[in-house]
Amino acid sequence: MSNISQPPVPAEGLPPGGPLARPGQRALAPRPQSQVPAVATAAPDEEDFIDLRHLWGILLRRKGTVLLAAALVVLIGLIYTFTATPIYRGTLLMQIERQEGQVVKYKDVTPDEDARSGQDFYQTQYELLKSRNLARRVIDQLGLEPQGRKQADEASESFLGNLAGSFQEWLAGILGAETKATDDPGQAEPDLPPGDQEKALLANLNIEPVRNSRLVKISYESPRPAEAAAVPNAIANNFINMNLERRFEASSYATRFLQEQLQQARVTLEDSEKRLVQYSREREIIDSENRLSTLMARLQEMTTSLVKAEAARIESEAAYLGLTDANNPGVAGMLDSQAIEKLKGRRAELQAEYEQNLEVYKPGYPKMQQIQRQIADIDKTIAKEVAAIAGSIRLKFETRQREEAKLNQRIAEIKEEVLTLQDRSTDHQTLKREVDTNRELYEGLLQRLKEVGVTAGIGTNNVSVVDPAEVPIRPYKPSLPKNLAIALVLGLLLGVGLAYLLETLDDSIKTSEDAERRLGVPVLGLMPMAAGEEYGLEAETLALLVNRDPKSPLAEAARSLRTSLLFSTSEGAPRICHFTSASPSEGKTTSAVVMAIIFAQAGGKVLLIDADLRNPSLHRTFGLANTEGLTNFLAGDIEPAKIARPTEVARLFTITSGPLPPNPVELLSSPKMLDLLHLAVERFDYVIIDGPPVIGLADALVLANLASATIFAIHTGETRAGAMEGAVKRLRGANAHVIGGVMTMAGRPGGGGYGYGYGYSYDYHYTYTYGNKSGAEALPDKAGA
């Protein structure tokens, strides 16, 4: 990356007197302002979003729990399958039609079913098949005494003996072997009460309609194969018989009822006919209906003629009123007369000629007077013609008036005659309607009685058996494949539930997003699991893999972390970096060594200080003696140049801890520690401090206050959220500048491991996170390329 500001590369040689010779003392560089963006709080819609990859990762981490739960449930399913009593199932296929076969076209006494009530009809039939009355008839016919299911095995039988016997019975049923009857009275349970017997039979009965058809399956489950087949057949036969009996009873009742109603209708009809004849004789009414119909037809014709006469009269009246209107100058124009039109045309010609001659002659000229006389004669002729037409219109209007009056008079006479005839025949019509009604009722009852008599003798039915039930050879349940499938599904669901429960209870930091949310600062990088067996490196010296194999995944991850540090502040990477963690063995020392090596490989002069005065480890990492170190300088008079020793990495120097002191906090907070850092900043480009974990100590707080920036190491999947948050809170309470975190030991080890958990085998796949963006990155060997 060409825009990364690189620190000046110092000369390879050391200054006289060693790297920490005192040429003068200057103040420590102020803490740079961080440019790393704060971790954004998740938006509400992002919090509601379900991350499927996160859920899948949980399942992968907890797959042992899922598989164990599934295996336990499957084992329980196997035990249940081999120990359960085999149950046989007999099935009968029945066809139910909404209507029986029509031998004759007469209607039956039972109600007809239309398309809208078809679903209700079939639901009624299914409920009748499960009725207690039908169950009682089956029990009495077959001589059954249904018994309750056994709730427990005999106390004297061992579990293994029961398991072996049940397995043999189940295996014999699978192979088709004849199963022994279990009708031994000595093993039967006490009989059930009559009411419970029907319930026990119906509990094992299953009515299953076949979709999109008129078929229904009747199944019965029993530990006895013969009973499993006999019960469905008996259910079907008794249901058919009950249906026929119900139809016969309905026909018998209908016959008796119709006979009674027919006798009453006959008496009523005879009485009404007698009263009608007597009334007609008294009023001398012969045929009033025909006369009334004739008058009504004539009245209708006269009314139609009156409407037409009124329309014609109104038209004539309008024409007549137009002639009598003196203010209507266009009356003559409304008259449709060819003679008047010709006269008006001739007058217009003469008038035009007169106007033309006025230009030559005077009005008194004989020719002009002659034209005027002709115009006057034409006007008189037009007036006579108009008067003749007006007389014709007047005569037509008067004729229409007389015609309309005659029609009104005739209509009034017809109405009066109709009303008189209606008054005389009202009671007669009432008696006649009563006779007609009684006659229709009597004829309908007589016809229906004959139809019922015909249909009652027809023995057709709408229910028929398609396939009778046969004695089953193999048990219906328990079904090994079905039980195993159910147990497997339940086991997987239980395992997944346990996995998510354990994951919820586990508060360790597993992802960079979780770390950023709890730290409040970005995760600057991820240190993957690495293997150093090829180079003879153990856990404590594994950080040297970055120097010995610059193309290793650990080196690439370290370069990504260095790039993140270069962008962390406006001045570039902090000059004094302090590495710490919440607890021991979380990878802080390895991270500090790796970063020191990477900065040295980039051309900077780096000083690595082992400030963990309680459990130092840098001397073992580089294979150096720990006889002299930081404690000798802080508690004695030794010069800094004597304790800064070179390492196998060019431009990288280290100060080991030295002998362990009894008072680490007092030494680290002494002025000499501040003087050492002042001198280190002058002589080196970067100073990296490997500090102790925060836990309950004050060492890390003192070092964090002295450093320009603090980087928090997080062991992926091991560091507890509460411990990390408490440690960061203590650091910030000590005015520490925590610029970010680093996820250590990320990834899954492929084999055994040492120390911090670094394994010997490694799958090259890791992810780093910078700021709020994450992705895979592999930087080149030289920074800034």
Side-chain angles (χ1 to χ4, degrees):
M1 301 174 65
S2 58
N3 59 345
I4 298 178
S5 58
Q6 295 292 334
V9 179
E12 292 291 337
L14 295 177
L20 292 179
R22 294 176 179 267
Q25 182 172 315
R26 294 185 301 183
L28 288 175
R31 290 180 178 178
Q33 296 297 322
S34 174
Q35 286 186 336
V36 179
V39 178
T41 304
D45 55 349
E46 294 179 354
E47 293 179 354
D48 297 337
F49 178 73
I50 299 177
D51 190 353
L52 296 180
R53 290 181 298 177
H54 173 67
L55 299 179
W56 179 250
I58 294 176
L59 293 180
L60 291 180
R61 287 194 298 270
R62 304 287 181 176
K63 66 180 181 181
T65 302
V66 175
L67 295 177
L68 179 60
L72 289 177
V73 177
V74 169
L75 179 60
I76 295 174
L78 284 174
I79 295 175
Y80 167 76
T81 301
F82 291 140
T83 56
T85 302
I87 302 298
Y88 296 86
R89 188 176 197 180
T91 303
L92 176 141
L93 185 62
M94 176 187 293
Q95 181 178 1
I96 302 177
E97 298 289 345
R98 294 219 308 267
Q99 295 180 354
E100 70 278 1
Q102 293 289 338
V103 179
V104 293
K105 294 185 178 181
Y106 302 141
K107 293 184 179 180
D108 198 357
V109 294
T110 56
D112 294 336
E113 301 292 340
D114 56 8
R116 293 174 296 177
S117 61
Q119 185 64 29
D120 297 339
F121 169 77
Y122 282 107
Q123 189 62 36
T124 302
Q125 301 302 310
Y126 303 150
E127 294 300 325
L128 290 175
L129 286 170
K130 295 185 290 185
S131 63
R132 298 181 59 185
N133 185 19
L134 181 59
R136 183 73 259 173
R137 294 180 63 164
V138 171
I139 293 174
D140 295 339
Q141 177 184 350
L142 299 179
L144 299 178
E145 294 295 338
Q147 301 170 353
R149 298 290 178 85
K150 292 184 177 181
Q151 303 297 325
D153 297 325
E154 295 294 337
S156 60
E157 293 181 353
S158 64
F159 175 78
L160 293 178
N162 190 18
L163 177 62
S166 300
F167 176 76
Q168 292 176 358
E169 186 177 6
W170 175 82
L171 184 60
I174 292 296
L175 297 178
E178 181 180 0
T179 306
K180 295 182 179 180
T182 58
D183 298 333
D184 185 3
Q187 297 181 359
E189 295 182 355
D191 296 341
L192 298 175
D196 294 339
Q197 291 177 0
E198 290 90 343
K199 293 181 180 179
L201 186 141
L202 294 176
N204 297 323
L205 184 66
N206 182 35
I207 307 299
E208 180 183 358
V210 180
R211 294 188 59 184
N212 301 325
S213 70
R214 300 175 182 178
L215 303 176
V216 59
K217 293 181 180 180
I218 303 177
S219 303
Y220 184 77
E221 298 177 4
S222 173
R224 295 175 285 273
E227 180 180 313
V231 171
N233 293 329
I235 289 284
N237 294 332
N238 284 274
F239 181 72
I240 294 174
N241 294 334
M242 288 178 62
N243 196 18
L244 292 175
E245 292 173 2
R246 185 168 59 254
R247 291 176 181 273
F248 180 76
E249 291 175 359
S251 299
S252 300
Y253 172 78
T255 301
R256 294 193 301 271
F257 175 79
L258 290 174
Q259 289 175 349
E260 295 174 359
Q261 295 297 321
L262 187 63
Q263 183 65 26
Q264 296 178 5
R266 182 185 297 110
V267 174
T268 304
L269 176 60
E270 292 175 355
D271 181 65
S272 61
E273 288 177 344
K274 290 179 182 180
R275 285 189 282 109
L276 176 62
V277 171
Q278 182 180 359
Y279 182 84
S280 300
R281 183 176 300 172
E282 293 175 356
R283 300 293 193 276
E284 297 180 354
I285 298 175
I286 299 176
D287 192 3
S288 61
E289 291 184 1
N290 293 335
R291 178 60 179 167
L292 184 62
S293 299
T294 302
L295 291 175
M296 294 301 296
R298 186 175 298 174
L299 179 62
Q300 185 176 1
E301 293 176 359
M302 298 299 292
T303 303
T304 303
S305 300
L306 178 62
V307 171
K308 294 180 180 179
E310 287 180 351
R313 190 262 305 167
I314 291 172
E315 182 181 0
S316 301
E317 184 179 4
Y320 176 73
L321 292 177
L323 290 173
T324 59
D325 188 1
N327 297 324
N328 187 2
V331 172
M334 293 187 294
L335 298 176
D336 187 12
S337 175
Q338 294 182 356
I340 293 177
E341 292 295 331
K342 290 180 180 180
L343 291 173
K344 290 171 65 178
R346 179 58 183 165
R347 185 183 184 284
E349 292 177 357
L350 292 175
Q351 185 67 32
E353 183 180 358
Y354 179 80
E355 295 294 335
Q356 185 178 5
N357 290 333
L358 280 177
E359 297 178 358
V360 180
Y361 306 105
K362 293 182 178 181
Y365 191 72
K367 184 177 182 179
M368 298 295 289
Q369 292 179 356
Q370 181 181 1
I371 294 174
Q372 290 178 356
R373 286 193 296 272
Q374 292 178 353
I375 292 174
D377 294 340
I378 292 174
D379 290 340
K380 292 179 181 179
T381 304
I382 290 174
K384 292 180 180 180
E385 190 69 22
V386 169
I389 294 174
S392 175
I393 291 175
R394 185 182 305 107
L395 180 60
K396 186 177 181 180
F397 168 64
E398 293 174 354
T399 302
R400 296 296 185 188
Q401 281 184 327
R402 289 192 295 272
E403 182 181 358
E404 182 179 0
K406 288 290 184 180
L407 289 173
N408 284 326
Q409 181 181 359
R410 183 56 183 160
I411 289 174
E413 294 175 355
I414 294 175
K415 287 182 178 179
E416 182 66 23
E417 186 177 358
V418 168
L419 292 176
T420 302
L421 184 60
Q422 286 180 348
D423 291 340
R424 294 176 56 192
S425 62
T426 299
D427 295 338
H428 181 269
Q429 293 296 330
T430 302
L431 293 174
K432 192 174 186 308
R433 282 195 301 271
E434 183 179 358
V435 171
D436 294 339
T437 302
N438 292 334
R439 182 180 291 110
E440 291 178 0
L441 178 60
Y442 176 77
E443 292 175 353
L445 290 173
L446 182 60
Q447 180 180 359
R448 186 56 179 161
L449 178 61
K450 294 180 179 179
E451 291 178 357
V452 171
V454 174
T455 57
I458 301 175
T460 59
N461 198 355
N462 63 329
V463 181
S464 60
V465 176
V466 178
D467 291 328
E470 298 179 354
V471 178
I473 300 176
R474 298 179 179 83
Y476 170 70
K477 59 183 181 181
S479 174
L480 181 60
K482 180 179 179 180
N483 290 349
L484 287 182
I486 295 175
L488 181 60
V489 172
L490 294 179
L492 290 177
L493 292 177
L494 177 61
V496 170
L498 289 176
Y500 285 115
L501 176 62
L502 295 177
E503 188 70 17
T504 303
L505 298 177
D506 185 7
D507 64 341
S508 61
I509 306 298
K510 304 177 186 65
T511 63
S512 58
E513 290 79 6
D514 191 14
E516 289 178 349
R517 180 172 57 86
R518 296 179 182 275
L519 280 176
V521 292
V523 172
L524 301 176
L526 277 77
M527 292 295 175
M529 300 292 288
E533 184 181 20
E534 180 180 355
Y535 300 92
L537 299 177
E538 298 183 356
E540 294 182 346
T541 59
L542 190 60
L544 299 179
L545 179 63
V546 177
N547 181 56
R548 299 183 184 181
D549 186 8
K551 294 184 179 181
S552 64
L554 185 61
E556 299 292 349
R559 294 189 186 95
S560 298
L561 177 59
R562 181 182 66 86
T563 303
S564 299
L565 286 175
L566 291 175
F567 285 107
S568 62
T569 65
S570 57
E571 293 82 7
R575 298 288 303 278
I576 304 177
C577 289
H578 168 228
F579 282 82
T580 186
S581 62
S583 303
S585 302
E586 294 192 347
K588 59 177 181 58
T589 300
T590 303
S591 300
V593 174
V594 165
M595 288 310 303
I597 295 174
I598 287 298
F599 276 118
Q601 289 178 346
K605 187 187 297 183
V606 183
L607 176 63
L608 180 60
I609 302 176
D610 189 352
D612 188 354
L613 304 184
R614 301 176 186 270
N615 185 23
S617 58
L618 283 184
H619 61 283
R620 292 191 294 269
T621 300
F622 293 100
L624 302 175
N626 198 26
T627 56
E628 291 182 342
L630 181 62
T631 56
N632 299 100
F633 170 76
L634 296 177
D637 297 331
I638 191 172
E639 292 294 330
K642 292 183 179 181
I643 60 175
R645 288 177 283 180
T647 62
E648 64 179 68
V649 182
R651 294 178 296 277
L652 174 60
F653 297 83
T654 182
I655 296 179
T656 61
S657 65
L660 300 182
N663 52 350
V665 178
E666 287 76 2
L667 293 180
L668 294 176
S669 58
S670 64
K672 296 189 69 175
M673 184 65 187
L674 184 61
D675 293 341
L676 178 64
L677 294 179
H678 277 295
L679 183 60
V681 170
E682 294 177 357
R683 293 299 182 182
F684 294 90
D685 298 314
Y686 300 103
V687 178
I688 297 178
I689 303 175
D690 176 24
V694 178
I695 47 174
L697 306 176
D699 304 26
L701 307 182
V702 174
L703 294 173
N705 186 265
L706 296 175
S708 303
T710 297
I711 300 175
F712 199 88
I714 304 166
H715 187 175
T716 306
E718 295 294 336
T719 301
R720 298 296 177 182
M724 183 188 72
E725 292 175 350
V728 174
K729 182 177 180 181
R730 291 190 63 196
L731 290 173
R732 287 175 177 162
N735 197 26
H737 184 209
V738 181
I739 64 171
V742 55
M743 303 286 291
T744 64
M745 289 165 273
R748 185 179 180 85
Y754 298 98
Y756 290 109
Y758 293 96
Y760 279 119
S761 61
Y762 174 74
D763 184 11
Y764 182 47
H765 177 76
Y766 67 95
T767 304
Y768 84 96
T769 301
Y770 175 72
N772 291 330
K773 300 179 180 180
S774 63
E777 177 175 333
L779 295 179
D781 293 344
K782 294 184 179 180

